[in-house]
Amino acid sequence: MELSLSGTTYTQELQVRAPGRINIIGEHTDYNLGYVLPAAIDKGITFRIGTHSGTRCRLDAANLDQSYVFDIADIPGPEADMPGWARYLVGVVAELQAAGHTVGGFDAAFGGDIPIGSGLSSSAALECGLAWGLDQLYGLGLDRMALAQAAQRAEHTYPGVKCGLMDQFASLHGQAGQVVRLDCRSLDFAYFPFDTETYRLVLFNTKVEHSLAGSEYNTRRLQCEEGVLRLQAFFPDIASLRDVSPDMLAAHAGDLPEIIYQRCAHVVHENARVLATCDALAAGNLAAVGSHMFASHDSLQHQYEVSCEELDFLVDQVREDPAVLGARMMGGGFGGCTLNLVQREAVPALQKRIEAAYSARYGRAPETYIVRIMDGVGDVQ
Ligand code: GLA
């Protein structure tokens, strides 16, 4: 895509590519300070950013043919009326400024190929691409983790989604051919090679648009917090569900309201599944990785209740297929994509079968993406 800036003279210019992400396993664990296992993918947003000596900031969304202009000396607050996409970007600038980093005027044009609302983190790519670009252009000297955290704060404040760190972390820390396990409490991370030659990572997009800003995501967070509060009566030292083992939870299942217990059970066991998946990856046991993915889906469907009929349908369609090692819904839920681990030669036939079955049931075809694991945010040469 040709991205052009509206002005003619810029003090500096930069092109940045910011990827979306997949998550192999570890869903709704990040804001519980647990483990996640994401990777950056070959779908992303490209920015062209130019700095100038004035105070104007102009944002051009090339795909939408929309613009938004604001003044860096008077950044609109979260309550201001602005296009939905602009909230992520204005939020980043506001958060950088609030943290004491001086950003001047700039023009930024962007566009990309991450399907919006599909659980592939187009919002994190937006935030992280601009954050990284401004860091480079204005010499802010922030490391990638600090940029991810600024982007996360922007999402909390401007669109008002109390997300965890996974998406912003993955967009900034991805490495080609590797998945990365993040410990969301210590922020330590470790890479694991993930070969997509023999088994492909295939996404089926329900095209049911989720709305994370919808209340359900924030409700889950609150339910987890309630679980921690109630469990603290028995274990005063715990600070998050990360500190709760499956045994500790089982011992007090009867002391929690049923729904709170179910939410906590998902998180506690999902953390264990991430660690088991990493062990399986290290041992080259992709079949075990796949079983953990199915188990993760079941838990998200029945215990955390963030799936939807279309996602469950897509996962059920592949359960008995010997060429599919694992499948699950991915991201916040309530729509978006399933992630499938599929034997390479079987992909074309599977795609045909799923597209036909989904169309027969829902009257529209899902979109299919075969993704590759790529580097995180960086400049475009
Ligand atoms: C969204 C959020 C992430 C994470 C996932 C669920 O993608 O942005 O922080 O909580 O949902 O795992």
Side-chain angles (χ1 to χ4, degrees), residues 21 23 26-31 121 155 163-168 212 217 331-332:
R21 63 103 189 88
N23 184 25
E27 222 64 89
H28 290 275
T29 46
D30 59 355
Y31 52 83
S121 291
E155 188 145 344
C163 64
L165 189 59
M166 170 168 71
D167 304 348
Q168 292 79 8
L212 269 186
Y217 185 91

Side-chain angles (χ1 to χ4, degrees), residues 24-324:
I24 303 294
I25 198 160
E27 222 64 89
H28 290 275
T29 46
D30 59 355
Y31 52 83
N32 289 300
L33 305 188
Y35 298 100
V36 291
L37 191 62
I41 56 170
D42 56 348
K43 287 192 176 296
I45 296 176
T46 303
F47 285 80
R48 187 159 172 188
I49 312 173
T51 54
H52 54 73
S53 55
T55 58
R56 181 201 60 208
C57 297
R58 182 185 166 100
L59 307 169
D60 282 308
N63 293 108
L64 303 171
D65 208 13
Q66 290 179 8
S67 307
Y68 183 70
V69 179
F70 65 98
D71 194 306
I72 196 83
D74 184 19
I75 301 176
E79 71 294 336
D81 188 25
M82 65 182 93
W85 56 266
R87 302 199 154 270
Y88 301 98
L89 300 170
V90 175
V92 163
V93 180
E95 283 304 330
L96 290 173
Q97 291 251 357
H101 306 292
T102 306
V103 174
F106 66 90
D107 289 359
F110 67 90
D113 62 358
I114 309 178
I116 292 168
S118 299
L120 300 180
S121 291
S122 54
S123 52
L126 262 187
E127 295 152 5
C128 295
L130 185 66
W132 190 84
L134 292 176
D135 177 77
Q136 296 287 305
L137 289 164
Y138 279 106
L140 306 181
L142 292 167
D143 65 21
R144 285 176 182 262
M145 193 63 88
L147 291 171
Q149 289 169 320
Q152 181 195 20
R153 288 197 302 275
E155 188 145 344
H156 285 197
T157 316
Y158 274 71
V161 180
K162 304 285 179 207
C163 64
L165 189 59
M166 170 168 71
D167 304 348
Q168 292 79 8
F169 167 82
S171 186
L172 281 155
H173 293 80
Q175 284 195 6
Q178 317 221 45
V179 296
V180 52
R181 183 186 67 209
L182 173 67
D183 177 334
C184 299
R185 184 171 63 185
S186 67
L187 301 186
D188 288 341
F189 54 93
Y191 292 93
F192 294 80
F194 199 105
D195 169 28
T196 53
E197 278 312 306
T198 326
Y199 282 87
R200 298 280 200 225
L201 290 166
V202 180
L203 299 171
F204 293 123
N205 187 355
T206 59
K207 297 209 273 184
V208 174
E209 266 202 37
H210 68 171
S211 164
L212 269 186
S215 59
E216 290 296 331
Y217 185 91
N218 292 345
T219 303
R220 292 300 178 285
R221 254 195 108 124
L222 291 173
Q223 289 169 333
C224 292
E225 283 167 20
E226 183 180 340
V228 172
L229 271 178
R230 287 177 180 271
L231 288 166
Q232 276 170 341
F234 311 101
F235 307 107
D237 292 341
I238 63 166
S240 69
L241 288 180
R242 162 62 180 280
D243 303 322
V244 179
S245 69
D247 286 347
M248 287 160 75
L249 182 64
H252 293 283
D255 298 314
L256 300 176
E258 179 61 17
I259 196 164
I260 302 296
Y261 168 74
Q262 295 294 343
R263 304 302 190 238
C264 294
H266 164 73
V267 173
V268 166
H269 291 279
E270 184 80 350
N271 277 330
R273 278 189 287 272
V274 177
L275 298 181
T277 300
C278 292
D279 289 346
L281 272 180
N285 186 352
L286 278 187
V289 171
S291 320
H292 295 309
M293 289 170 69
F294 278 129
S296 170
H297 183 81
D298 294 341
S299 176
L300 289 159
Q301 178 182 351
H302 299 295
Q303 299 200 282
Y304 217 61
E305 295 183 286
V306 289
S307 188
C308 67
E309 190 196 309
E310 292 87 345
L311 288 166
D312 298 339
F313 176 82
L314 286 172
V315 171
D316 287 342
Q317 285 293 314
V318 302
R319 279 185 199 275
E320 304 304 327
D321 189 327
V324 183

